[in-house]
Amino acid sequence: MNKIKRIGFIGIGNMGNPMAGHLVKKGFDVTVYDIRPETVKAFVSQHGGKAAASLVNAAHGMDVVITMLPDDKVVRKVVLGEGSENCVAAGLARGAVVMDMSTCNPSATRSLAEALAPRGIDVVDAPVMGGVIFAKDATLDIMVGGEPALVERVKPVLAAIGSNIIPCGGTGTAHAMKALANYINACALINAVEAMTIGKRFGLDAKLMAEALIPMCAGRNHPIEKKVVPHILTRRFGTGMAMGFIAKDVRIAVETARSIGAFAPLAERVSELWSDAVNKLGFDLDQTQVARYWEEASGVSLAADKK
């Protein structure tokens, strides 16, 4: 297989911008596209690379096109056009690779791969874990799904963006892994918030609970350490991940369970809670503001007491 040199990157948002920037820094020939022309202009000014005026232009002659987009419906439309000739598939030659680094439904990823196979275009799913801070540092965890030879081919691209590459299996498996990982995190966060609002209503101090629950709850507790303590108690609410995207990721986990007939009653209830919180509070609020959903229902605040 040919060495990857030319990369099209579609979706220059909070995550996509630093990720594509690292690819430029590592010497790849990068062309970027976003629905916001001003974002593309700002990227080229900051990082270098080339600006694409259309999706076809972003894909033409590329070895790999990376998508970093909101969901699988947007990815499918961008790649296949769905009635439009301005799409990634129209610009790619046989042997090229579509690498979807978004968080998408794994069944949709497999469907996309099936649609592109007759054109000789491969699909790799490579969602990331770590958030904006890790994207800026190029220390993301990257799960990757695809045939072993294909995964090996794209590893130099992934190594420029993340520090830990985790092969998961065939096409779609990485997206399944990402959804399940986010489901566990989402469940753990609201589990901690619920316990703490109960304790606060009983008379316990929020900071005391956060500090005591870490060693008592099976060792280190990522949601309490990284989200409750620095963001909920302080009211900073600034992890950089929108509540709506967490709700979407949990929903993907539930849809995946349903598609294979798995028993997932807890996941279904967790999904309902996150979706209800988004409906009541707003899609774009930081994920840690989900605490307000419990605070309003319980009549208490988890803000650290000023002493």
Side-chain angles (χ1 to χ4, degrees):
M1 291 187 177
N2 295 332
K3 184 178 179 181
I4 293 171
K5 297 178 181 177
R6 302 189 67 193
I7 299 174
F9 201 109
I10 299 169
I12 311 298
N14 291 337
M15 292 289 290
N17 185 299
M19 289 165 65
H22 287 303
L23 292 172
V24 174
K25 193 180 297 183
K26 288 292 185 178
F28 291 99
D29 183 355
V30 180
T31 300
V32 297
Y33 176 83
D34 196 278
I35 57 172
R36 301 158 296 180
E38 67 277 10
T39 301
V40 173
K41 185 177 179 181
F43 176 89
V44 173
S45 176
Q46 179 185 359
H47 300 287
K50 303 183 184 73
S54 68
L55 290 169
V56 173
N57 182 230
H60 184 69
M62 300 298 161
D63 301 311
V64 171
V65 169
I66 294 173
T67 52
M68 193 65 178
L69 299 167
D71 58 39
D72 48 82
K73 295 180 180 62
V74 177
V75 171
R76 188 176 182 90
K77 185 168 184 178
V78 161
V79 175
L80 296 178
E82 302 290 275
S84 171
E85 290 300 315
N86 179 31
C87 64
V88 168
L92 289 179
R94 297 184 73 84
V97 179
V98 170
M99 184 189 297
D100 184 22
M101 303 193 78
S102 324
T103 301
C104 293
N105 189 306
S107 297
T109 302
R110 288 180 172 175
S111 175
L112 180 67
E114 289 169 3
L116 289 173
R119 301 172 183 250
I121 299 169
D122 292 310
V123 171
V124 171
D125 48 312
V128 303
M129 293 283 286
V132 176
I133 293 173
F134 294 88
K136 289 180 178 178
D137 292 344
T139 56
L140 291 163
D141 291 324
I142 306 176
M143 292 146 284
V144 55
E147 294 301 316
L150 189 57
V151 170
E152 198 61 33
R153 185 185 177 203
V154 301
K155 269 189 178 178
V157 178
L158 301 176
I161 298 171
S163 60
N164 186 24
I165 300 166
I166 308 162
C168 297
T171 306
T173 56
H175 276 150
M177 182 79 85
K178 169 67 184 290
L180 294 172
N182 271 1
Y183 158 62
I184 291 171
N185 280 328
C187 187
L189 177 57
I190 61 174
N191 178 228
V193 167
E194 185 168 277
M196 290 176 67
T197 52
I198 294 168
K200 187 67 181 284
R201 194 169 177 86
F202 192 80
L204 285 165
D205 177 73
K207 190 169 186 296
L208 171 66
M209 283 188 287
E211 291 172 348
L213 287 170
I214 293 172
M216 284 196 294
C217 296
R220 303 187 71 82
N221 187 302
H222 183 274
I224 294 180
E225 287 186 87
K226 303 297 185 183
K227 297 168 188 174
V228 172
V229 175
H231 294 283
I232 293 175
L233 298 189
T234 63
R235 317 315 273 176
R236 287 176 186 162
F237 300 126
T239 65
M241 174 62 74
M243 192 187 304
F245 285 126
I246 297 296
K248 179 204 74 171
D249 293 353
V250 178
R251 189 164 59 250
I252 287 173
V254 171
E255 289 170 352
T256 302
R258 287 173 178 165
S259 72
I260 57 174
F263 182 59
L266 179 59
E268 290 181 0
R269 183 58 182 141
V270 170
S271 182
E272 289 172 5
L273 288 166
W274 275 94
S275 295
D276 195 42
V278 168
N279 290 337
K280 284 185 168 66
L281 300 174
F283 186 100
D284 294 323
L285 291 182
D286 189 83
Q287 60 176 322
T288 51
Q289 294 217 39
V290 74
R292 288 173 44 206
Y293 181 75
W294 266 265
E295 291 173 338
E296 291 173 9
S298 302
V300 297
S301 171
L302 294 179
D305 294 334
K306 294 181 181 180
K307 296 180 180 179

